[in-house]
Amino acid sequence: MDLDAKARDILRRNDRGGHTVPTASLYPFQWNWDSAFTALGFATFDLDRAWRELESLAEGTWDNGMWPHILFRHDDPDYFPGPSVWRAGAAIPSSGITQPPVAAIAARRVFERDPALGLPRLRGIFARLAAWHAWFHRDRRGPSGETLVTHPWESGRDNAPDWDAALDRVPVEKLAAYVRRDTAHVDAQMRPTSAEYDRYLALLAWGRTAGWDTGRIAAEGPFAVADPGMTFVLIRAERDLLALAEAVGDAREAARIAARLDEAETAAAALWVDEAGAAGAYCARDLRTGRRAMAVTSAAFLAWFAGLADAPRLQRLADTLGHVLDAAAHAVPSLDPHDPRFEPKRYWRGPIWAIVNWMIAHGLAEAGQTALAARVRIDTRRLIASAGFREYFDPLSGEGAGGRAFSWTAAVWLDWASPSAEG
Ligand code: GLC
């Protein structure tokens, strides 16, 4: 079977009837941003199914507008923490936090493949997409308009060094005993540590006690960090939602989104750190202490994807990216290999993620950084072709790691990394 056929086969096999799982056993439910990326893969061969993926995600919308990070349509004893631990959700049991809002970005791309076919489908989910973005603005907004996360899982970059200092302050004394399930599926060396896991669960317990009042959790909870990844993805998603608002003819919503976008440059500037990396970078900031995480993660390189106009800083960011890539055989490591905390196989502390490469390269290409964009694409192609549709990849050896037959890696292949996606 050629790689395109294999990728399509993975999406079909991870299809649970209208929604996909990231991969069997390790992640047996519908994850938010995984699902949005997966729609891009389906769109290359089955547009109806691509829309269905986005619609199924929208079915989980909370009354306050939030789209949760996991939808539990059933329980699964093989996964922890499942629905009985979270005790959240409205129409569908869910987790109590969100994930990066890739859905509007994916919806625009799927829509533009066939606007006539897509318009009624877009109309069906548009109000819920807009409600989610408004929720971000209300309940996840930092002091300068940056987007904050209330749990490392919310960022989608679970164990990035961005959270280390803020996590250290999360109290774990009251945590009840629990058994991890993730390390039964994949090597513990590739997963977050048990100290990190304790804090993830302590944060979950705090949110559950707060009745999943998402505004209160952001304002008073033990963890609130302004996240460059979430900030840049949301800015990009707002631009795409604005285009979709115009497509459905909703001028009032378009005006609201445009007003929020006026803050984009201020929000990004508030995350900039001159001293980070070789020439400066966008870094996370702990909103409880004001301290910045001095780590150059791949989230910083989503600034182009956000469509920022700050040419001097973006030039410096390109220099920092060049320095990061000098230390890696493959682009783009999730943490600068020069950082002493870099670990090439541990999840978000070094490995390459195909979806992040997809976003970084699209941003670079749109900003006219064509050589860098091409490098990221070719590297992604080579990694998948040689290591398979793995969850993530070692930036030094190129080996695949984590889960196998991964939906978002297959989707990124079909939509962009495959030679057949060229042009
Ligand atoms: C891990 C990743 C997260 C992803 C999930 C399912 O938790 O860190 O980004 O959504 O797995 O693939």
Side-chain angles (χ1 to χ4, degrees):
M1 222 192 299
D2 74 12
L3 286 175
D4 287 7
K6 264 194 189 147
R8 287 191 290 269
D9 191 53
I10 287 172
L11 295 189
R12 287 195 198 97
R13 279 189 289 126
N14 288 340
D15 188 346
R16 296 292 177 269
H19 73 277
T20 50
V21 298
T23 185
S25 37
L26 181 60
Y27 302 119
F29 310 107
Q30 184 174 20
W31 260 257
N32 186 323
W33 70 329
D34 295 69
S35 200
F37 281 111
T38 299
L40 298 180
F42 278 125
T44 65
F45 64 99
D46 186 345
L47 265 185
D48 172 67
R49 184 61 188 78
W51 281 111
R52 187 64 210 116
E53 189 70 26
L54 295 170
E55 289 159 356
S56 67
L57 196 55
E59 282 163 15
T61 309
W62 281 21
D63 294 344
N64 66 6
M66 183 179 88
W67 289 28
H69 105 288
I70 308 176
L71 294 178
F72 302 110
R73 285 186 168 78
H74 56 89
D75 203 351
D76 189 321
D78 233 14
Y79 185 83
F80 179 86
S84 60
V85 184
W86 286 95
R87 284 181 243 145
I92 302 173
S94 73
S95 69
I97 57 174
T98 196
Q99 250 191 342
V102 175
I105 300 167
R108 181 178 184 188
R109 204 164 160 90
V110 173
F111 173 73
E112 286 178 351
R113 280 185 180 265
D114 186 340
L117 179 144
L119 192 58
R121 311 294 289 266
L122 173 61
R123 285 193 195 284
I125 62 168
F126 178 78
R128 283 171 287 172
L129 272 174
W132 186 24
H133 284 213
W135 171 85
F136 265 109
H137 191 67
R138 217 174 41 243
D139 284 0
R140 289 294 182 268
R141 190 177 171 281
S144 304
E146 325 89 311
T147 305
L148 65 88
V149 292
T150 63
H151 193 298
W153 288 341
E154 205 157 50
S155 72
R157 302 183 297 121
D158 307 15
N159 66 336
D162 302 43
W163 329 123
D164 289 1
L167 266 189
D168 274 349
R169 295 184 301 96
V170 172
V172 290
E173 296 74 37
K174 291 192 195 136
L175 189 63
Y178 66 93
V179 180
R180 279 175 79 160
R181 301 294 310 175
D182 59 324
T183 43
H185 299 290
V186 291
D187 185 348
Q189 297 301 316
M190 299 180 188
R191 301 289 303 178
T193 63
S194 46
E196 284 162 338
Y197 230 80
D198 286 353
R199 283 158 183 83
Y200 299 156
L201 291 169
L203 287 172
L204 190 167
W206 202 96
R208 190 178 55 213
T209 306
W212 298 114
D213 173 342
T214 55
R216 181 170 160 226
I217 293 166
E220 298 168 23
F223 185 96
V225 181
D227 171 12
M230 201 66 136
T231 301
F232 294 147
V233 171
L234 181 61
I235 294 172
R236 171 50 178 255
E238 291 273 55
R239 294 192 203 285
D240 288 337
L241 189 69
L242 180 56
L244 295 176
E246 282 156 7
V248 299
D250 190 337
R252 283 184 48 198
E253 192 58 51
R256 277 197 283 269
I257 301 162
R260 295 198 298 257
L261 274 168
D262 282 345
E263 275 192 333
E265 299 293 332
T266 319
L271 296 169
W272 180 261
V273 179
D274 272 333
E275 298 76 28
Y282 295 98
C283 297
R285 190 173 77 258
D286 185 338
L287 295 177
R288 298 285 182 259
T289 62
R291 280 184 43 205
R292 293 173 184 283
M294 295 297 284
V296 178
T297 66
S298 51
F301 306 123
L302 297 173
W304 291 284
F305 191 56
L308 300 182
D310 189 339
R313 286 201 179 107
L314 290 175
Q315 187 47 54
R316 295 180 61 177
L317 189 68
D319 294 343
T320 294
L321 175 57
H323 184 71
V324 165
L325 295 186
D326 285 346
H330 311 270
V332 176
S334 48
L335 177 63
D336 183 355
H338 301 96
D339 190 307
R341 294 164 291 186
F342 172 81
E343 292 183 73
K345 283 204 172 55
R346 201 186 285 275
Y347 226 38
W348 293 94
R349 297 178 91 86
I352 297 165
W353 295 73
I355 50 138
V356 178
N357 278 7
W358 183 95
M359 294 190 285
I360 292 175
H362 278 84
L364 286 167
E366 288 161 3
Q369 294 272 9
T370 42
L372 272 171
R375 161 138 193 223
V376 176
R377 184 183 206 170
I378 296 304
D379 281 12
T380 311
R381 179 178 299 168
R382 279 194 294 133
L383 286 167
I384 296 174
S386 67
F389 296 96
R390 299 298 298 268
E391 185 176 6
Y392 49 86
F393 304 89
D394 180 327
L396 305 182
S397 69
E399 287 164 279
R404 295 168 192 275
F406 228 83
S407 294
W408 67 15
T409 309
V412 162
W413 175 267
L414 290 169
D415 178 74
W416 168 74
S418 165
S420 69
E422 206 83 58

